[in-house]
Amino acid sequence: MHARPLDSTVGLYNAITSDIISHSSEDSTETHWISESGILDLFLMAGPTPEQCSSSGTISSDDIRTVQKRFDEEDMPMDVFWLGIEYSEEHKYFI
């Protein structure tokens, strides 16, 4: 008996460099994650579609300001926010 496929998508992001070996069959996909450091730092993004999975990580500048304000309110020192290249102008760090 075969299970009916789900009508949903799950995105998985690994923040640490790893080798990923994937084997797919008609019914499933099996992956092996190999990390040289032994650490997997995973983020799971659920969404009914791939587009909604990838957009779930998008934050606005107001969101960033809210987090920064909370650090100030809690008197927690913070030197930098690392947002990644997608938040830089034209995706360039050095202009």
Side-chain angles (χ1 to χ4, degrees), residues 3-95:
R4 184 168 116 358
L6 299 175
D7 295 327
S8 64
T9 301
V10 174
L12 190 62
Y13 172 74
N14 183 19
I16 298 175
T17 304
S18 300
D19 290 327
I20 303 170
I21 302 167
S22 177
H23 304 283
S24 295
S25 70
E26 205 174 288
D27 299 325
S28 66
T29 299
E30 180 180 299
T31 59
H32 298 269
W33 296 60
I34 303 164
S35 174
E36 190 173 306
S37 69
I39 297 170
L40 293 176
D41 191 5
L42 302 175
F43 296 87
L44 183 67
M45 298 164 285
T49 67
E51 293 80 16
Q52 288 173 323
C53 280
S54 62
S55 68
S56 67
T58 304
I59 59 174
S60 69
S61 44
D62 286 337
D63 294 331
I64 296 165
R65 286 184 189 94
T66 300
V67 171
Q68 187 270 327
K69 183 179 177 191
R70 182 68 192 270
F71 272 84
D72 287 345
E73 289 170 356
E74 299 296 329
D75 198 25
M76 294 177 68
M78 177 204 32
D79 293 323
V80 68
F81 276 118
W82 181 263
L83 300 174
I85 197 164
E86 65 273 4
Y87 296 98
S88 61
E89 185 177 334
E90 296 182 16
H91 295 205
K92 298 176 186 174
Y93 282 129
F94 306 104
I95 296 176

